Each structure stands twice: as C-alpha cells, then as structure tokens.
Amino acid sequence: MKKTRFPLTRRDFLTSSLSIAAASALSNALPFPANTPAGAVSFPKNFYWGTATAAYQIEGAWNEDGKGESIWDRFSHTPHKIKNGDTGDVACDHYHRYREDVNLVRALQTNSYRFSIAWTRIQPAGSGRPNPKGLDFYSRLIDSLLEANIRPFPTLYHWDLPQALEDAGGWPNRDTAQRFADYSDIVMSALGDRVQSWMIFNEPWVFTTLGYLLGTHAPGRTDVDAYLRSTHVVNLAQGMAFRVMKGVRPRSVVGTAFSLSPVQPATPSNADKEAAERTHRWQNVWFLEPALKGKYPDAFVGVTPEMLGVQPGDMEKVRAPLDFIGVNNYFRYIASAIRPKAISLNPIAKIFPVDVKLGGDTGPKTDMGWEVYPRGLYEIVMRISKDYGRPIEITENGCAYTDAAGKDGTDHDTRRIAYYNGYLRELARAIKEGADVRGYHAWSLMDNFEWAEGFSKRFGLINVDFKTQKRTMRESGLWYAKLAQSGTLPAAVKKAK
Ligand code: IFM
C-alpha cells in the first residue's frame, strides 16, 4: 500500500492513501443509477443561469492601484508551492479586460455572474480606510453587468486573506473575524445600492482545511490546533458579517457557497455508515450547522469547545440565518471507518477516525482525477434541502478537460458538454421532487488559475490562451448559451464516456 506522507496533497488526502476501500467492494455497493431523466427537461421560469469566477483566479494586476499583498500572492511567489511555478500575477488579466469579459458573459446568454471581491483591493492590509480605486473597480464591473441585464452575484471572500492579517495570526486569530466584519461593512455600504444577492464565503471547509491543516493551499500551515481555531473564527466571521450586511441593507439576500458532496459508506457495515455520517458533519456542514442551528455537529472525537476557542456567547454570534445555501458540487466522497493500523499513518485519525476517498470508481475521471458522478448533485441537493429547508443556489459545478482545438479553431469539448448535461438533468430531478433551487453557475466562465494546479487545469466554457490573453468560446459555451436562452435541455442525451 502507498505510504501516507504529511503534509498531504489535496489529492493524496482525499483520494488514495487514507482510503482502504477496495474498488470491487465499491462497485458492488454502489451501482450507478439509471433513473436520470432522459427526455427534454425544462427548468423553472426566472431561473438564474450563470457562470462563476474568483478574484485571484482571474484578475491579475496583483499589485496595481494600491492593492495589498494577499496570502495567495505570497504563497504563489514561494518556490515549489504551485505547479510549474505559476502565479496569479496576471492570470486572465481580467482587471484590465473586464469589459471584454462582461461581453462574454452576455454572449453566453446568462443572467447571473458570480465573482469575488479581493479584500486586498479594498483594504490593502486588511484594516483601516478603504482604497477608493479598489472599490471603483468593482463598482465599474457591477455597472457593466447591470447594463447587460446580468445579476451581479459577488462573494466577499474567495480565499485571498490580506497577508498583513495572516502575519497577525490569520484565521486562527479571533481578531480576524472583526476585521472581516469591518470589511463587509465597507463593501456593503459602497456596493449594496446596486447588488442585492451576496455570498459571504466561498468553501470555508476548503480554505481552512487546505490552508491550515494540510498546507497545500495558502497560507500553507500544517497545525491541527491552529486549524481547529481557524474553523471557529470563520464561523464567527460568518455570523458577524451576516448581521453587519443586513444592518446596512436589510433587504439584501445573503448566503455562503459551501463545498458540498454526498458521502457514501464504502460498505453497508454500521461502522462505515457512521463514518459516512461523520464525514458529512465535518466536510459538509461544519460551517452550515453553526449558522443555521447555533451548534457544532458531532464530527470529531475528543475536540472540546476550548480547543476550538469557543468563548461564552460565541454560539449566538455564529448564528446566521442565511437566505440561501450555495452548493458547490464536483464529486462524491466514499467513507470507511479507519483501521486501527492506519491511525499512525493519519495525523488526524485520533480526532477524525475515518478514511475518506474522493470519488468512486464508477464514472469517468476529469483532468482533476475527480469521478464524474452526476447523481451526486441530486443527492446532495435533496439532503441539504430536506435538512435545512432553505432556498438553494448552485454556486459552482464544472469540470477540467483539455481538448485540442479543431480545424475551425473551436475546442469541441464533448466531454464537458456531457458532464453538464448529466449534472443538470439530475438537478432538474431534484427540482421536480421539491428542492427550491433558484440558479445554477457553471465553474467556470473561462480557464483560470486553478490554485496549486496553476494553469494546468482548464475549467472554462471559454478557452484562454494565457500567452496572448485571447478568449475563444468552446463548443460547451455555445451549448450552455442555448440552454441559458431556452431554459430547456433537449431530449438527446450524450452520455459521459
Ligand atoms: O477553482 C475552484 C474554485 O476556486 C473553488 N471551487 C472548486 C474550483 C475547482 O477546483
């Protein structure tokens, strides 16, 4: 068996070394379902069709117009952290080309565009007076979207903490929650007159776990104690920002985009079923349950409120009755109870005695190595809808594939079309069965900086040539535009290979 290293890469942690499930047992336990709707499928009227991006992944201009250094600037400038030494210094140069990009959003016939705001453009060091040039950039972007009848749908924080705040302790430091609440006040006061719907965080589980526990993302720390505290401070920040935003704009619609994946037991044993539920409580709802229910789910063994840094009154502060739940879904998890022998291999097995494998072995894999599992979107939407009864926005779903351009210059990315076709059919099924889903955002509008993977993974409906910055619509983009315009998937089903 492959040896487990620490720190682990994201893929190591989630795909192989900590997993003990045998592939054959899995395929017996998890037959691929055949009940995906195959005929023409119509989505609700007034449905939002969108695409999603994030500031660090597309903007570039990393040190222009007064922008401060973020943890991702620092991390990507550190040798060996990012594949091929890539950085987001220029990325898609969106900071200078946003008008062209809004035209592409329009060409896709979409009526919603999810983007994020770089905290360091607004407050270069994470506190103090706002930088007018930073606010002005987002103000211009928002105006361009509104002129094109596209809903601006911003996220306040998509992983780019000001480096100055990391130097002061980062997310494990309680003070960061207050800094974040101040930042949310500035942004809402400046832009809330034109933006109604907001996300506070993007994937809080991912940026805390990869940033403070696994060390594969910025700021690259591997400290279990700091990690546990960071999760509580993020929950505090979520509750505090929610109240600040509602205070400034009571009619605003505020949610968070969570990384949410259905978790299946590797075998029908009670131990594996319990392992799957434990995984759901940590990886899916650790940042949702405090907001909506004012409590932490029972995910860890032996982790006390003191270890999380919980102080009297905090469990009221973490509450945030989110107006919607953002679902980012890419894959499923397979969980099995950890074997006693594996405890010494897994640095957190004492507090989390589960082996988690990312994806099963039934579907094809994308370039990320992620299994294509369309039914997972149905499963997680139904579970979240049943457990929390809130409106849902699909805030991310998509796939990385590289295809050479055909003779006509277009990427005929049939695998990407098949992916979207499959997931959207499963989403339609969830809606039909009662889930209140308001919108869907494809990740991503265009190829961009895929974090530790640099530019090696292409998620875009639009191809970007990073040497020339030329954007070219893929066949999937044309396909998505038709869907966004008609709101209907035609009857012919292309099956993912
Ligand atoms: O690129 C990321 C995005 O920033 C957050 N969600 C997952 C995407 C693909 O890995």
Side-chain angles (χ1 to χ4, degrees):
M1 197 172 105
K2 203 172 132 197
K3 274 211 177 128
T4 303
R5 291 168 286 125
F6 190 70
L8 306 167
T9 66
R10 184 185 195 189
R11 237 180 282 168
D12 279 344
F13 178 71
L14 294 170
T15 58
S16 55
S17 317
L18 299 183
S19 171
I20 57 165
S24 55
L26 272 180
S27 46
N28 291 337
L30 303 164
F32 195 71
N35 48 357
T36 308
V41 167
S42 289
F43 285 81
K45 284 208 169 66
N46 305 324
F47 196 71
Y48 282 111
W49 289 104
T51 55
T53 62
Y56 188 73
Q57 293 180 272
I58 65 166
E59 284 179 2
W62 76 281
N63 58 359
E64 281 182 43
D65 289 342
K67 179 183 168 297
E69 185 190 21
S70 79
I71 55 172
W72 271 96
D73 295 318
R74 178 71 62 91
F75 194 70
S76 70
H77 293 159
T78 308
H80 314 303
K81 297 293 185 192
I82 312 292
K83 194 177 266 181
N84 302 322
D86 291 341
T87 74
D89 290 3
V90 178
C92 305
D93 196 29
H94 170 79
Y95 188 74
H96 299 115
R97 296 167 192 260
Y98 73 91
R99 284 184 202 284
E100 181 189 344
D101 293 337
V102 169
N103 281 336
L104 291 169
V105 174
R106 195 207 299 245
L108 283 168
Q109 310 289 332
T110 45
N111 58 0
S112 179
Y113 174 59
R114 178 172 178 236
F115 59 99
S116 80
I117 295 178
W119 188 345
T120 51
R121 289 200 193 284
I122 311 300
Q123 290 180 296
S127 59
R129 291 161 64 90
N131 167 27
K133 286 191 173 164
L135 284 172
D136 184 53
F137 169 66
Y138 294 107
S139 183
R140 282 180 283 125
L141 172 63
I142 288 163
D143 286 344
S144 311
L145 291 165
L146 291 173
E147 273 163 32
N149 287 322
I150 295 159
R151 171 180 71 159
F153 193 27
T155 310
L156 285 180
Y157 184 85
H158 198 125
W159 307 358
D160 40 2
L161 186 72
Q163 182 62 41
L165 294 187
E166 178 56 31
D167 293 343
W171 281 112
N173 176 6
R174 270 183 90 83
D175 188 51
T176 304
Q178 186 56 54
R179 301 281 73 77
F180 185 72
D182 294 349
Y183 158 66
S184 63
D185 192 353
I186 291 170
V187 175
M188 193 55 137
S189 304
L191 307 174
D193 57 337
R194 283 156 293 154
V195 177
Q196 199 193 10
S197 298
W198 297 81
M199 281 140 293
I200 299 173
F201 286 120
N202 183 69
E203 299 180 355
W205 185 87
V206 175
F207 76 77
T208 52
T209 307
L210 274 59
Y212 292 95
L213 180 65
L214 303 181
T216 52
H217 277 191
R221 289 165 66 179
T222 52
D223 176 340
V224 181
D225 298 334
Y227 167 67
L228 291 173
R229 289 198 309 278
S230 78
T231 68
H232 182 57
V233 176
V234 167
N235 273 317
L236 282 172
Q238 181 167 247
M240 290 160 73
F242 182 86
R243 279 181 290 285
V244 165
M245 293 166 87
K246 290 287 187 176
V248 177
R249 291 272 162 191
R251 290 163 66 91
S252 58
V253 175
V254 181
T256 277
F258 299 94
S259 47
L260 294 171
S261 308
V263 192
Q264 298 166 346
T267 73
S269 72
N270 285 342
D272 285 355
K273 281 186 191 156
E274 166 53 24
E277 269 311 289
R278 193 181 280 288
T279 304
H280 176 77
R281 291 182 217 126
W282 177 34
Q283 305 201 187
N284 286 337
V285 300
W286 188 254
F287 298 89
L288 193 46
E289 199 94 356
L292 296 183
K293 300 198 172 158
K295 65 179 177 59
Y296 277 104
D298 186 11
F300 294 116
V301 176
V303 169
T304 61
E306 291 70 38
M307 288 162 76
L308 293 170
V310 177
Q311 294 186 4
D314 277 5
M315 295 320 289
E316 277 309 307
K317 289 189 190 150
V318 296
R319 277 185 186 270
L322 302 170
D323 297 309
F324 68 91
I325 296 172
V327 173
N328 290 6
N329 173 253
Y330 292 89
F331 40 69
R332 61 172 160 162
Y333 291 122
I334 312 288
S336 43
I338 207 161
R339 294 175 309 170
K341 262 195 199 158
I343 289 197
S344 61
L345 297 176
N346 176 349
I348 63 156
K350 284 206 178 98
I351 58 169
F352 187 71
V354 180
D355 283 327
V356 184
K357 182 178 169 192
L358 191 156
D361 301 306
T362 318
K365 302 263 165 63
T366 70
D367 286 357
M368 293 295 280
W370 297 346
E371 180 203 26
V372 178
Y373 184 66
R375 191 196 163 124
L377 185 57
Y378 165 84
E379 289 170 348
I380 194 66
V381 164
M382 291 310 284
R383 169 123 199 215
I384 294 295
S385 168
K386 180 169 118 322
D387 289 357
Y388 300 102
R390 284 280 200 285
I392 286 175
E393 295 256 5
I394 307 305
T395 35
E396 283 182 30
N397 173 236
C399 51
Y401 288 119
T402 303
D403 293 289
K407 281 193 187 133
D408 57 356
T410 306
D411 290 356
H412 296 286
D413 52 340
T414 50
R415 289 175 299 174
R416 189 174 280 102
I417 295 173
Y419 179 100
Y420 282 121
N421 195 10
Y423 277 77
L424 281 160
R425 281 172 191 280
E426 290 291 344
L427 182 63
R429 182 152 77 100
I431 295 171
K432 199 167 166 210
E433 292 181 22
D436 180 6
V437 183
R438 307 283 174 92
Y440 175 90
H441 297 77
W443 183 273
S444 178
L445 170 65
M446 56 188 163
D447 296 339
N448 57 50
F449 178 86
E450 177 55 26
W451 309 111
E453 297 292 318
F455 297 106
S456 68
K457 301 291 182 287
R458 293 181 175 267
F459 275 93
L461 292 171
I462 292 166
N463 177 74
V464 177
D465 178 332
F466 292 103
K467 286 203 187 91
T468 61
Q469 290 297 343
K470 184 167 183 246
R471 280 96 159 113
T472 310
M473 186 80 79
R474 294 198 161 103
E475 194 178 339
S476 58
L478 300 170
W479 178 90
Y480 193 67
K482 267 196 206 145
L483 169 62
Q485 194 179 36
S486 64
T488 300
L489 281 168
V493 185
K494 277 186 190 168
K495 279 238 153 73
K497 281 184 201 140

